[in-house]
Amino acid sequence: MILIRLAYGVLALWAVSVLVFLATQALPGDAAVTALGRNATPAGLASFRARFDLDAPLITQYWDWLRHVLSGNLGVSFSMSSSVSAVISSRVVDSLVLMAVSAVISIPLAVWIGVYTASRRDRLGDHLMSFVVLVINALPEFVMAVAVVVLLATNVFQILPAVSALDPNDSILGQWRLLVLPVLTLVLMVVPYVARTVRACMIEELASEHVRMARLKGLTERRIILRHALPNIAGPTFQVVAQSLAYLAGSIVVIETVFQYPGVGQALDQAVSARDIPVIQALACLLAAFYILVNILADIGTVAMTPTLRKRAR
């Protein structure tokens, strides 16, 4: 089963690489003119196109690019004249830190909210929490980001910086104040989806026969939840958590652009504006690879935590 999932993952990543390559070729404008400026001479433009094989047939360009990527060479940035690996390496680290901090906060919080609302179904706390979660879930990422900035950085409470421009000479954790707003936005976007899914699974589990039997035996509600209900929803919970991590990878493009956070999302936005094709291709494929890997791990984890699925996989 794992080998089949990996094979599908490789095939999907190859398909994504083809789509990304074709999409970058369809971008408006001329990459040579964008990189050298409108005052560039015809000889300079011709030299630039020859250097990066921009005049070669598309199939040749794709094959050369794919061959270099498989050998570990991501190419040279058009706008910065340095290797793509050097351009995006620090950006990837910054984005991973942002995602990791957001996941560490949002996942336990979402699971707790889901369990809390399910155990108090149809009570006041359940209705209030469900209403707040539903409202937050209905807001797009950029709207939530702007609302957080207005509330905590500009008009209402000016307690945090509105822009998360990190100093590359200082450690990320040493600039924790710059992480608060983007992390808070990502947490608010992830928690509702996970919490609602956990709540639905927990409600169904608490109505099961073995939980009723545990109540008849006189077990406390806390013990029933921790020992009988939670282990049985581990598979769906693991699946929704993995999907949330994949969602974080996509959301950082918007969030980092809004807060000017120097991560993968901002680098992708700048590369599209500058028509920096090698950087766009590398970042888009990197995000796709992360998404595919998370989904593969989610499938494997769900099977590992569900006895019936383990038997089928064998």
Side-chain angles (χ1 to χ4, degrees):
M1 185 273 293
I2 295 176
L3 292 177
I4 292 175
R5 292 291 193 277
L6 291 175
Y8 278 124
V10 172
L11 182 62
L13 186 59
W14 171 77
V16 168
S17 72
V18 174
L19 293 175
V20 168
F21 182 83
L22 294 177
T24 54
Q25 299 301 318
L27 287 174
D30 189 333
V33 174
T34 304
L36 300 180
R38 297 187 177 276
N39 296 325
T41 62
L45 294 174
S47 175
F48 184 91
R49 295 189 184 100
R51 177 188 175 189
F52 294 102
D53 296 328
L54 297 180
D55 291 331
L58 288 181
I59 186 65
T60 303
Q61 292 186 48
Y62 174 75
W63 171 247
D64 291 340
W65 171 71
L66 183 62
R67 179 166 51 85
H68 291 151
V69 169
L70 293 177
S71 65
N73 179 14
L74 299 180
V76 178
S77 169
F78 288 174
S79 59
M80 300 184 183
S81 299
S82 58
S83 67
V84 174
S85 300
V87 172
I88 69 174
S89 58
S90 61
R91 305 275 190 150
V92 171
V93 173
D94 292 343
S95 292
L96 287 176
V97 171
L98 183 62
M99 291 173 56
V101 175
S102 302
V104 168
I105 296 173
S106 61
I107 300 305
L109 178 61
V111 172
W112 177 84
I113 292 175
V115 173
Y116 174 84
T117 53
S119 62
R120 289 161 177 78
R121 183 183 180 186
D122 294 332
R123 298 181 186 177
L124 180 60
D126 176 31
H127 291 305
L128 289 176
M129 194 74 72
S130 298
F131 176 76
V132 173
V133 166
L134 183 62
V135 170
I136 294 176
N137 196 35
L139 297 176
E141 291 94 338
F142 71 93
V143 174
M144 180 60 68
V146 172
V148 168
V149 170
V150 171
L151 180 62
L152 299 176
T154 55
N155 297 341
V156 184
F157 301 104
Q158 298 182 14
I159 57 178
L160 291 168
V163 177
S164 301
L166 297 177
D167 183 358
N169 298 320
D170 194 3
S171 65
I172 300 178
L173 297 180
Q175 307 173 70
W176 63 268
R177 284 174 55 85
L178 300 178
L179 293 175
V180 174
L181 291 186
V183 166
L184 177 60
T185 305
L186 289 173
V187 168
L188 291 174
M189 300 310 301
V190 170
V191 165
Y193 175 65
V194 179
R196 294 181 66 187
T197 305
V198 172
R199 177 183 181 274
C201 295
M202 181 60 68
I203 287 176
E204 182 179 357
E205 189 62 30
L206 291 177
S208 62
E209 294 184 358
H210 72 92
V211 170
R212 293 177 183 175
M213 184 62 66
R215 289 196 179 102
L216 291 176
K217 291 180 180 180
L219 298 180
T220 63
E221 196 68 18
R222 178 186 179 88
R223 185 183 179 116
I224 290 173
I225 291 175
L226 295 178
R227 297 291 298 274
H228 297 274
L230 273 179
N232 288 332
I233 67 168
T237 301
F238 189 85
Q239 186 77 25
V240 73
V241 167
Q243 293 295 326
S244 299
L245 293 177
Y247 173 78
L248 281 175
S251 297
I252 59 173
V253 177
V254 177
I255 301 304
E256 290 181 357
T257 302
V258 172
F259 290 103
Q260 295 300 299
Y261 183 86
V264 170
Q266 188 191 48
L268 184 59
D269 178 68
Q270 293 173 347
V272 171
S273 301
R275 211 177 188 279
D276 198 338
I277 293 177
V279 175
I280 298 173
Q281 292 170 340
L283 291 178
C285 289
L286 182 64
L287 291 174
F290 179 83
Y291 186 89
I292 292 171
L293 179 62
V294 167
N295 278 275
I296 293 175
L297 294 177
D299 291 340
I300 296 173
T302 302
V303 171
M305 293 180 179
T306 309
T308 56
L309 294 179
R310 284 205 303 270
K311 293 179 181 179
R312 294 177 186 176
R314 292 173 184 172

